[in-house]
Amino acid sequence: RDQYIVTSKGQQAIFGLSHAEGGLLWEMGGTTPTMQQTSGTAFGIVHGPRIEGDRIYVFDNTPAAQRLSRAVAFDIDYTQQTYTEAWSYTGEWSSVVLGNEEPTRENGELISFGLDSGFLELNADGQNTMQIEGELSGYVHYIPTLSRVLEN
């Protein structure tokens, strides 16, 4: 798909924008959604979108009073204009800003839980294989070249 993916914290929405024409293709969440969620937990404050095929990954900083922060993926059906929660991981932290997830070369996930919380790595089975806690803020990025050097 030739599209840009944009998230809006204030509107609590994810938008698909046409690269070729510059117009709105679809909206998930927000005040005027064109796509409807068919299963799973609704997202709140999302950012850090990543799309693979018909699956979109985002980080959800929904306020702690509602639930802990999570990395989540939705499968999109463009024909039916629906989306379904396909995968999510809720950590031990809630953060009002920052946070993201990225895949690892072993089909796992590397997740940052944002402001003053921590990072963790999940293997392909979804098991936590590494966790670093503390006053760590920001985003995580998986760099295969560096990991190969460290493994050898």
Side-chain angles (χ1 to χ4, degrees):
R1 297 201 173 265
D2 190 21
Q3 63 183 335
Y4 293 111
I5 306 300
V6 178
T7 59
S8 171
K9 177 181 176 182
Q11 294 174 298
Q12 297 186 352
I14 305 169
F15 303 96
L17 305 175
S18 169
H19 177 257
E21 300 165 11
L24 179 68
L25 294 172
W26 50 265
E27 178 179 342
M28 296 166 63
T31 56
T32 56
T34 61
M35 288 200 176
Q36 301 302 312
Q37 186 169 356
T38 58
S39 70
T41 303
F43 60 82
I45 302 168
V46 293
H47 56 90
R50 176 175 60 85
I51 203 157
E52 289 184 8
D54 292 338
R55 181 171 283 184
I56 185 168
Y57 295 81
V58 292
F59 193 81
D60 185 359
N61 285 106
T62 297
Q66 296 174 28
R67 69 171 176 261
L68 297 171
S69 297
R70 66 185 179 143
V72 61
F74 298 100
D75 286 337
I76 301 172
D77 183 330
Y78 293 99
T79 304
Q80 297 295 316
Q81 292 290 291
T82 60
Y83 62 100
T84 304
E85 185 176 311
W87 172 88
S88 71
Y89 184 87
T90 302
E92 302 170 13
W93 306 291
S94 182
S95 178
V96 295
V97 296
L98 303 174
N100 74 312
E101 71 73 44
E102 283 196 3
T104 66
R105 73 168 185 238
E106 296 85 13
N107 297 316
E109 301 290 332
L110 187 61
I111 304 171
S112 161
F113 281 87
L115 186 64
D116 297 333
S117 52
F119 304 87
L120 60 85
E121 181 180 39
L122 304 176
N123 65 17
D125 296 325
Q127 296 173 329
N128 186 342
T129 58
M130 176 194 69
Q131 184 164 317
I132 301 171
E133 298 180 43
E135 295 190 23
L136 305 168
S137 299
Y139 298 104
V140 293
H141 297 285
Y142 180 71
I143 305 171
T145 306
L146 179 59
S147 68
R148 280 191 216 110
V149 169
L150 295 175
E151 289 172 359
N152 292 328

